Amino acid sequence: MDAYFFENRDFFANRIEELEILSRSSRTVESSDPSKEVHDTAVCVRIRPLTEEEIGWDHIQGVVRDNFGAANIYEPRRKVNGKPDLNRTSFTLDHVYGPDSSTKDIYDDRVQDLVQWVGGGGMSMLLAYGQTGSGKTFTVSGMEKLVVEKLMDGKVSGKWDVHMCIFEIAGSNMCDLLNERNPISVLEDPFGAMQLVGVLEKKPTTSGEFLGLIDIAKELRSTETTTKNDQSSRSHAICRIRVVNKEAPNSPEGSFLLVDLAGSEASADTQNHSRERMAETREINKSLTTLKDCIRARALWSIGRGEASQKHIHIPFRTSKLTQVLKSAFDVSNTQTCKTLVIACINPSILDVAHSKNTLRYAEMLKVPVPKAKPRPFDERIPTTWENKHVQEWISKNSGRPPMNPLLLAPRENGLQFCRLQEDEFVGRAMLTPGVKPEQAKLLYYKLWALHIDSRALMNGASASIETKSVETAPKKPRKLKVVKAGMFFRLDEKEIKDGVEIVMALGVDTASESKGRDEVRWICAAVRPATDTPEAYELFVANQRVIGARWLIDEIKLEYDIHTRYYLIAGS
């Protein structure tokens, strides 16, 4: 096909120009809607310029970014009658950066927010994927420089200790690029976290020292000559940056993973490979496939989080060494929220459009579409139905003393987005209000989740389909609990609330009621009142007792005694 292209080069160049002009006049591809992006996973495309060598060989650009933000691939083909023709395929992802976009443009648009997120104790991951020679290492190296400058030059608020290590993964082997390629391993600790054993972690104090360590690692990285590239990266290189807040040692440390993936190759490019190169290619393709499955599964879980119908999603991180190392970014039980950016790097030459199409297909599989769902009507019992104004009203009513500023805690989030906030992010936002302590912020977080868990039961039951108006107008009937045991806490029905006591502890069955022949079981209950000096804490008054029928004990409340404060706190706080 290469010889056929050069025979008809002028035709292909003119035809691509004609099709691009036509595409500007008629919109055929919808641009990506930012509102449909997955909350913590973004997939972008970077089309590099043609190199001077490719221009000297009379190559033309076969991958073009159109005016609607799509990547158009023009693939030359030969008709049955022998005449030349083109096939056009369009791909739309979260963003497509053309040859005119610099690394700084991509950093300002997508990466600087990830750095800020790491500075706040979160986790970020940047992955560069593409065929060998498509500009992955160039992109990651530029990003590393910009990230280091921001972290080391004090552009992230606070005082930090920055730790870093760089290592490579080649098949099932791992080595430290900052310690003379000494072998390292990854093991799972008793808490389920993956730990690097034998890696040498450095603590640079200036951006120059940091960048010098990166240059040392580049020199030691494994490269081999392949059909497409004289210095093809035959391993995955990972730069891990840890950020520790010296002013708050107990706060979670931030983590940034910058991953330069090994170059992918098509089967046609492996025909002249040795047995060793073929084995490397198989291992690379296997790890990239597993990585795709993990990212997609994590994105699916992120979309379904907070929905009552969400099913268990298996994330196959154990299948390859690469995904084992990156497990913390995929683990749905991780307390840190990980924000992931995938940059698919594209070689624009028309002779490499087959590779480019495979790269974009891979990237397209990573982009999980957000399903369209009919919005559920507002119900104050179901947080996922709240709009932003309802979220802010709930915060104002339930945040305790001092009251939290709703504009700081939930400036734009609706109920579903508010429930998806991880605990560390929730507490960090809450503490932006002066005077709010971590304990108060956590209590509000647990209160939200107690309401959210109860709402899932409502959505699974018949009551989920009832309109709010019907709920408000229907007469309230006391519910009879199936199980009441001594030591359990209950919220009283409104008709039984006296002297402001809404919560009671069941102490035991009232035997006097049984001797009188009453059908209903009645319980001796002790009053429980909110603590005056600690928000969301409760005090038990054993001497203040009442006899209450079981049917008036409406909702069970999980409270646990705290020996330090000598109050009862919501379970889990």
Side-chain angles (χ1 to χ4, degrees):
M1 182 56 74
D2 290 3
Y4 186 75
F5 161 74
F6 286 113
E7 291 174 5
N8 300 276
R9 179 190 179 281
D10 292 339
F11 167 83
F12 289 123
N14 294 332
R15 183 58 179 161
I16 290 174
E17 186 176 353
E18 291 173 2
L19 292 174
E20 281 298 303
I21 293 174
L22 287 174
S23 70
R24 297 189 191 106
S25 60
S26 60
R27 182 168 183 152
T28 58
V29 178
E30 293 293 331
S31 60
S32 180
D33 183 358
S35 65
K36 295 182 181 179
E37 291 185 19
V38 179
H39 178 65
D40 51 14
T41 304
V43 183
C44 302
V45 176
R46 183 180 194 183
I47 305 171
R48 70 161 173 82
L50 289 170
T51 63
E52 293 182 1
E53 188 177 44
E54 290 168 337
I55 294 173
W57 289 339
D58 278 344
H59 288 199
I60 62 175
Q61 189 168 334
V63 185
V64 182
R65 180 189 186 277
D66 67 13
N67 292 344
F68 309 122
N72 294 331
I73 288 187
Y74 295 95
E75 191 171 9
R77 71 182 185 94
R78 188 203 304 258
K79 290 183 177 180
V80 177
N81 58 11
K83 293 184 178 180
D85 197 8
L86 283 171
N87 284 338
R88 186 176 76 173
T89 309
S90 294
F91 296 86
T92 304
L93 293 128
D94 292 329
H95 199 100
V96 177
Y97 296 94
D100 296 333
S101 297
S102 66
T103 303
K104 184 66 164 59
D105 294 333
I106 304 174
Y107 173 86
D108 292 339
D109 192 21
R110 291 283 177 174
V111 182
Q112 65 176 347
D113 290 339
L114 301 184
V115 181
Q116 197 70 36
W117 179 250
V118 170
M123 177 183 294
S124 299
M125 180 169 66
L126 184 148
L127 297 147
Y129 167 79
Q131 82 173 101
T132 178
S134 60
K136 300 183 305 299
T137 302
F138 176 84
T139 299
V140 173
S141 298
M143 291 300 176
E144 286 174 339
K145 181 178 179 181
L146 295 169
V147 169
V148 169
E149 288 177 352
K150 185 163 186 178
L151 284 175
M152 304 302 293
D153 294 345
K155 295 180 181 179
V156 177
S157 58
K159 296 181 180 179
W160 312 99
D161 277 334
V162 178
H163 307 261
M164 58 87 71
C165 62
I166 304 178
F167 55 95
E168 74 170 8
I169 303 173
S172 59
N173 299 317
M174 301 172 59
C175 65
D176 190 347
L177 297 182
L178 294 180
N179 192 17
E180 300 179 348
R181 295 185 59 84
N182 282 344
I184 61 177
S185 59
V186 58
L187 299 175
E188 190 171 5
D189 66 18
F191 302 100
M194 292 296 182
Q195 303 293 343
L196 295 174
V197 180
V199 71
L200 179 63
E201 198 169 55
K202 301 284 189 177
K203 186 181 176 182
T205 56
T206 64
S207 58
E209 182 182 355
F210 200 128
L211 295 175
L213 293 170
I214 292 176
D215 291 337
I216 292 174
K218 286 180 185 176
E219 296 296 326
L220 294 176
R221 188 179 179 189
S222 298
T223 58
E224 295 290 345
T225 300
T226 64
T227 306
K228 293 292 181 181
N229 192 354
D230 292 337
Q231 289 188 326
S232 175
S233 301
R234 309 305 295 163
S235 64
H236 308 297
I238 302 176
C239 175
R240 186 185 71 180
I241 304 173
R242 290 194 307 113
V243 178
V244 181
N245 189 344
K246 294 187 292 185
E247 297 179 339
N250 294 327
S251 62
E253 62 181 35
S255 177
F256 203 151
L257 297 167
L258 294 108
V259 185
D260 181 8
L261 296 169
S264 61
E265 290 186 289
S267 58
D269 295 328
T270 63
Q271 295 176 357
N272 298 324
H273 279 2
S274 64
R275 179 176 297 180
E276 183 181 355
R277 295 285 83 75
M278 289 289 290
E280 283 181 356
T281 301
R282 284 194 298 271
E283 288 293 334
I284 290 171
N285 292 338
K286 175 185 173 182
S287 63
L288 292 175
T289 301
T290 304
L291 178 65
K292 178 257 297 179
D293 293 339
C294 290
I295 294 175
R296 184 174 175 83
R298 179 63 172 77
L300 284 169
W301 176 86
S302 179
I303 290 174
R305 183 172 46 179
E307 296 295 332
S309 59
Q310 183 179 10
K311 298 180 180 179
H312 171 73
I313 294 177
H314 174 62
I315 299 179
F317 68 90
R318 298 184 189 277
T319 308
S320 78
K321 192 71 69 175
L322 172 65
T323 48
Q324 287 181 37
V325 172
L326 302 178
K327 180 200 172 186
S328 57
F330 310 128
D331 191 359
V332 298
S333 62
N334 193 353
T335 57
Q336 281 183 302
T337 302
C338 181
K339 297 189 176 182
T340 301
L341 173 64
V342 181
I343 302 178
C345 298
I346 300 296
N347 180 344
S349 173
I350 196 169
L351 297 182
D352 284 303
V353 291
H355 296 278
S356 301
K357 184 184 286 188
N358 288 335
T359 299
L360 289 172
R361 282 174 176 165
Y362 181 96
E364 197 172 48
M365 286 188 288
L366 298 179
K367 180 175 166 57
V368 180
V370 179
K372 296 181 179 179
K374 183 179 179 180
R376 189 183 297 273
F378 167 70
D379 190 329
E380 63 180 5
R381 305 170 301 169
I382 304 178
T384 53
T385 66
W386 298 349
E387 296 179 1
N388 179 254
K389 63 179 181 179
H390 303 128
V391 173
Q392 296 190 0
E393 288 173 2
W394 183 86
I395 293 171
S396 300
K397 293 178 181 178
N398 295 274
S399 59
R401 300 289 180 184
M404 299 177 194
N405 188 340
L407 296 176
L408 296 177
L409 183 52
R412 296 177 299 274
E413 287 78 8
N414 59 27
L416 180 59
Q417 295 168 337
F418 192 51
C419 291
R420 284 178 174 175
L421 292 178
Q422 293 289 338
E423 182 178 347
D424 54 346
E425 184 177 1
F426 187 100
V427 172
R429 291 188 184 186
M431 292 178 63
L432 294 176
T433 302
V436 174
K437 296 182 179 180
E439 293 77 12
Q440 180 184 351
K442 289 181 180 180
L443 284 172
L444 183 64
Y445 179 79
Y446 297 142
K447 188 170 184 177
L448 171 67
W449 266 88
L451 181 62
H452 179 47
I453 292 170
D454 291 341
S455 73
R456 290 166 70 103
L458 283 174
M459 289 189 290
N460 281 327
S463 59
S465 62
I466 301 175
E467 298 290 337
T468 306
K469 184 177 180 180
S470 302
V471 173
E472 293 175 350
T473 59
K476 296 184 178 179
K477 298 180 180 180
R479 293 175 292 172
K480 184 177 180 180
L481 289 171
K482 295 181 179 179
V483 178
V484 179
K485 295 182 180 180
M488 297 174 67
F489 295 86
F490 298 94
R491 191 180 304 278
L492 292 177
D493 186 86
E494 292 179 356
K495 296 180 180 179
E496 282 295 310
I497 295 176
K498 296 179 181 179
D499 300 327
V501 176
E502 299 181 7
I503 302 173
V504 295
M505 173 196 264
L507 299 178
V509 177
D510 180 27
T511 55
S513 300
E514 292 181 345
S515 63
K516 294 179 181 180
R518 295 188 179 182
D519 295 334
E520 182 186 17
V521 178
R522 295 168 64 82
W523 286 80
I524 301 174
C525 301
V528 178
R529 296 180 181 273
T532 57
D533 57 348
T534 304
E536 298 302 327
Y538 299 90
E539 188 173 2
L540 174 65
F541 295 86
V542 179
N544 188 356
Q545 298 181 2
R546 290 174 52 197
V547 177
I548 303 173
R551 65 193 180 110
W552 303 110
L553 304 176
I554 302 300
D555 299 316
E556 182 188 358
I557 300 175
K558 300 288 187 180
L559 296 179
E560 292 179 350
Y561 184 70
D562 182 63
I563 60 174
H564 303 289
T565 62
R566 298 187 179 181
Y567 289 135
Y568 284 89
L569 305 178
I570 297 174
S573 61

